[in-house]
Amino acid sequence: MSSDQDHLKETDTEARFEFKKEQKAAFAAEKGLTEETIRVISEDKDEPEWMLERRLRALKQYQKMPMPTDWPGQPDLSEVDVDEIVPYIRPDVEVRGGVDDWRDLPDDIKDTFDKLGIPEAEKNALSGVGAQYESEVVYQNMQERWEEKGVVFMNMDQAVQEHEDIVKEYFMTKCVPPSDNKFAALHGAIWSGGSFVYVPEDTTVDMPVQAYFRMNSEGMGQFEHTLIVAEKGSEVHYIEGCSAPKYSAFNLHSGGVEVFVGEDAHVQYSTVQNWSKNTYNLNTKRAIVEKNGRMEWISGSMGSKATMLYPASILKGRGASDNHITIAFAGEGQNIDTGAKVYHNAPETKSTIESKSISKDGGRTNYRGLVHIANGAKNSSTAVECDALMFDNESTSDTMPYMEINESTVDVAHEATVGKIGDEDIFYLQSRGLDDDDAKQMIVSGFIEPITEELPIEYAVELNRLVELEMEGSLG
């Protein structure tokens, strides 16, 4: 790697995310969404007939469902026109399904991921790495010792071919059906790429697996699908990073995540998303958690023009638990609408939700959440805490918690605080030798520390740096 790239990786986070590459595609679909487009994508992937049928059913559902427009305070989606999106771009990589050696990637794609630091991350502390460029995974690798234990980490397109029975059972059937919402239906019709993780019974993967998703082309959509199946007594930590450079035309990201947490299993799903300010980020993420299983969601969301993201957990078995930790940052022209949903469907289930949001320069953040405790879910508990920090009078931060409690013997707590950075706080830090910008950065770093301390150190450093750049107005 050149010294210039070393310098870029170590010192210039802004340049790492903002650079662009000239599009070189082996295949690109026409703009818009039609049955012909779906058939072309499926044929290009050589998919089995059942997957094509599921895509076509999802397309019909998408066409029937209205665009969400009546949620109080929701982001404006009027600019989102799927007919103007290129839904599928296969990058020019010689090996379908990606390569397992960075040296085999084309120079332009390799340079992209070098700048994002992915090869170095793999060397340092990861069990496996996947990298998606445009619509397909271009690199995938798993440490041999985990493969020997039966752990599977591969791209979803490959999993459809090599683990057909598992994919057919779990893919958008129980967790996120296309009927869930319009963008889930869109995703079901034109999904491409993503990760498949399978962890056998009583197997602990003690180092994280990581996937990175990069949109490079203007006016495209990325629709990766992640499917994680953790069998009884297993444990795994999946880390996801996302980015895109800024263009004049809008981009659309509408991924799907399905997690199945077996009895006594533990899954942690961490994501740091830094989309450009021309990107609409509209995802559907959900987990089903069995008896005594544990699910953790850790999310950092910033950079997009609008985000609607509400990871959900269905606590299906007695003693199942869920923990959500989220941070959202909104600057000028941004509406970041995030939250969490938890369904307590069994006794003695437990959930905690901690949300941190920051807004400046007229940006808007909103926590939109749902906690449902079913009749019969005795001795369950939930605690929701929402904290918002605003930089100025033009910015807004809202909290929209909704609780459906259908059982009397439960413990429910909710706390929300909204505040501005006070002059007295700035003055105190300035008296200790900090200038105005450094003082504000220190306050924000302390504000988000409960989240960053849950991330691996390199992601915590990255998240702090991204927030700093957002405060400066330097990104996207």
Side-chain angles (χ1 to χ4, degrees):
M1 186 181 300
S2 70
S3 59
D4 287 343
Q5 287 177 346
D6 284 332
H7 175 75
L8 186 64
K9 284 171 50 185
E10 293 172 5
T11 65
D12 197 342
T13 303
E14 179 185 353
R16 285 177 57 193
F17 292 104
E18 287 299 296
F19 67 91
K20 305 171 183 177
K21 291 288 184 180
E22 181 182 351
Q23 177 185 322
K24 295 180 180 178
F27 176 81
E30 297 293 327
K31 285 184 178 181
L33 183 61
T34 64
E35 179 175 331
E36 181 182 0
T37 300
I38 302 303
R39 291 184 180 278
V40 167
I41 293 172
S42 186
E43 181 179 359
D44 190 62
K45 294 176 176 292
D46 194 27
E47 290 180 338
E49 186 66 24
W50 63 266
M51 180 56 78
L52 172 59
E53 291 173 357
R54 289 190 187 182
R55 288 183 182 274
L56 294 176
R57 286 200 300 269
L59 173 63
K60 290 180 180 179
Q61 287 179 314
Y62 170 79
Q63 292 170 335
K64 293 177 182 177
M65 301 175 80
M67 183 75 79
T69 57
D70 57 352
W71 293 16
Q74 75 165 67
D76 180 8
L77 303 180
S78 60
E79 188 183 14
V80 178
D81 183 356
V82 174
D83 288 334
E84 293 299 318
I85 283 287
V86 178
Y88 177 65
I89 298 176
R90 172 159 54 87
D92 191 11
V93 178
E94 194 169 310
V95 181
R96 292 302 301 272
V99 300
D100 59 9
D101 190 323
W102 286 106
R103 293 170 297 185
D104 294 335
L105 284 172
D107 288 342
D108 59 329
I109 296 179
K110 182 167 58 178
D111 181 58
T112 294
F113 288 110
D114 278 343
K115 288 177 178 176
L116 293 168
I118 308 305
E120 291 303 312
E122 178 181 21
K123 292 174 187 175
N124 292 337
L126 296 171
S127 297
V129 168
Q132 179 159 332
Y133 191 84
E134 312 294 31
S135 300
E136 293 207 346
V137 172
V138 295
Y139 174 82
Q140 194 91 35
N141 197 22
M142 184 81 183
Q143 286 189 7
E144 188 174 337
R145 67 186 178 111
W146 299 117
E147 291 180 342
E148 291 173 350
K149 292 183 178 182
V151 178
V152 179
F153 177 48
M154 62 174 55
N155 72 75
M156 272 304 304
D157 294 298
Q158 185 179 0
V160 171
Q161 307 291 343
E162 298 185 16
H163 297 276
E164 186 172 356
D165 290 345
I166 297 176
V167 175
K168 192 173 184 179
E169 177 183 356
Y170 289 103
F171 185 91
M172 301 193 79
T173 55
K174 309 172 184 179
C175 204
V176 182
S179 59
D180 186 79
N181 63 77
K182 189 173 183 69
F183 289 100
L186 173 66
H187 174 87
I190 52 178
W191 76 271
S192 183
S195 299
F196 174 74
V197 180
Y198 176 83
V199 187
E201 188 172 328
D202 295 325
T203 301
T204 297
V205 183
D206 56 15
M207 294 191 300
V209 295
Q210 173 184 298
Y212 201 95
F213 302 102
R214 175 73 174 181
M215 270 196 294
N216 179 69
S217 298
E218 181 175 12
M220 76 162 291
Q222 193 172 71
F223 306 94
E224 81 285 347
H225 191 91
T226 297
L227 175 60
I228 300 173
V229 180
E231 298 284 15
K232 180 179 179 180
S234 65
E235 185 170 345
V236 67
H237 181 189
Y238 178 89
I239 302 175
E240 171 192 271
C242 311
S243 70
K246 184 179 181 181
Y247 289 101
S248 57
F250 81 93
N251 283 20
L252 173 62
H253 177 251
S254 186
V257 175
E258 299 182 288
V259 184
F260 294 86
V261 185
E263 182 177 340
D264 296 310
H266 175 205
V267 176
Q268 180 174 328
Y269 189 105
S270 303
T271 179
V272 176
Q273 299 190 348
N274 178 42
W275 301 110
S276 59
K277 290 183 175 65
N278 63 298
T279 300
Y280 287 83
N281 184 28
L282 311 170
N283 290 341
T284 306
K285 300 183 177 184
R286 189 168 299 151
I288 294 177
V289 189
E290 302 290 348
K291 180 180 177 181
N292 294 326
R294 183 156 59 105
M295 181 68 204
E296 293 183 81
W297 301 94
I298 302 175
S299 305
S301 182
M302 62 195 70
S304 63
K305 183 171 184 177
T307 288
M308 296 178 73
L309 176 60
Y310 323 98
S313 289
I314 300 170
L315 305 182
K316 182 181 176 183
R318 180 186 292 270
S321 66
D322 171 82
N323 183 33
H324 278 80
I325 302 176
T326 68
I327 178 171
F329 190 107
E332 182 180 1
Q334 293 179 278
N335 191 336
I336 309 301
D337 201 289
T338 60
K341 297 179 181 180
V342 185
Y343 300 87
H344 293 255
N345 290 347
E348 300 172 19
T349 51
K350 180 180 179 181
S351 67
T352 59
I353 300 171
E354 183 176 4
S355 171
K356 301 276 189 179
S357 63
I358 304 165
S359 54
K360 68 183 291 284
D361 297 334
R364 177 182 183 270
T365 59
N366 180 42
Y367 168 82
R368 191 186 302 269
L370 167 67
V371 175
H372 172 89
I373 300 182
N375 183 27
K378 296 180 181 294
N379 302 318
S380 294
S381 65
T382 184
V384 181
E385 181 179 348
C386 303
D387 298 321
L389 188 64
M390 294 183 293
F391 274 72
D392 47 61
N393 293 327
E394 291 72 36
S395 301
T396 58
S397 181
D398 297 316
T399 302
M400 299 180 181
Y402 186 61
M403 294 192 174
E404 298 173 339
I405 312 300
N406 298 318
E407 174 59 52
S408 58
T409 55
V410 296
D411 187 5
V412 177
H414 176 262
E415 180 181 347
T417 62
V418 178
K420 290 175 60 178
I421 292 182
D423 293 338
E424 64 277 10
D425 298 323
I426 301 297
F427 178 78
Y428 173 79
L429 292 173
Q430 287 177 328
S431 72
R432 300 298 181 184
L434 298 179
D435 64 22
D436 183 75
D437 290 340
D438 288 341
K440 290 178 179 178
Q441 177 60 38
M442 179 171 285
I443 292 171
V444 170
S445 294
F447 181 72
I448 66 173
E449 184 178 5
I451 293 175
T452 56
E453 67 185 6
E454 297 292 332
L455 291 169
I457 184 63
E458 63 273 16
Y459 269 73
V461 170
E462 193 72 77
L463 182 58
N464 271 308
R465 178 60 180 145
L466 288 171
V467 169
E468 180 181 345
L469 288 168
E470 287 283 6
M471 290 172 60
E472 296 170 359
S474 300
L475 284 177

